[in-house]
Amino acid sequence: MTYNTLSELRSARNQALLECDYLMLPDSKIVGKYKDLLVAYRQELRDLPQLAEQNGLHNVRLPEFPSVIFDGDS
């Protein structure tokens, strides 16, 4: 999806962060390399506004959620 304003991008980014907030709680069963993937994904989301400013709003996409974290045992 392309975004027309930085506000739209931030809104989509914030929603993506909210959708995986619960996985960062201390009682989450996501650990090890899967937790590392989740942390990296969330950092990519937080970096989006700066990337949009550097590379142009239409050149930025939300990263894909690392669904592999639900496939493996940690």
Side-chain angles (χ1 to χ4, degrees):
M1 173 179 189
T2 49
Y3 302 97
N4 294 313
T5 65
L6 192 54
S7 179
E8 284 180 4
L9 174 64
R10 286 179 192 266
S11 180
R13 183 268 321 255
N14 291 347
Q15 183 61 38
L17 284 167
L18 283 171
E19 289 172 1
C20 63
D21 274 351
Y22 75 100
L23 295 171
M24 297 303 293
L25 294 173
D27 64 346
S28 171
K29 296 187 189 312
I30 308 298
V31 297
K33 65 182 178 182
Y34 303 107
K35 184 77 156 215
D36 294 342
L37 286 172
L38 182 59
V39 168
Y41 166 73
R42 291 173 61 85
Q43 185 60 54
E44 284 183 60
L45 288 170
R46 288 190 296 274
D47 291 342
L48 282 177
Q50 182 179 2
L51 286 174
E53 290 176 2
Q54 293 171 350
N55 302 323
L57 191 58
H58 297 289
N59 296 318
V60 175
R61 302 277 185 271
L62 287 179
E64 288 193 35
F65 179 80
S67 59
V68 68
I69 66 172
F70 294 118
D71 297 338
D73 296 328
S74 41

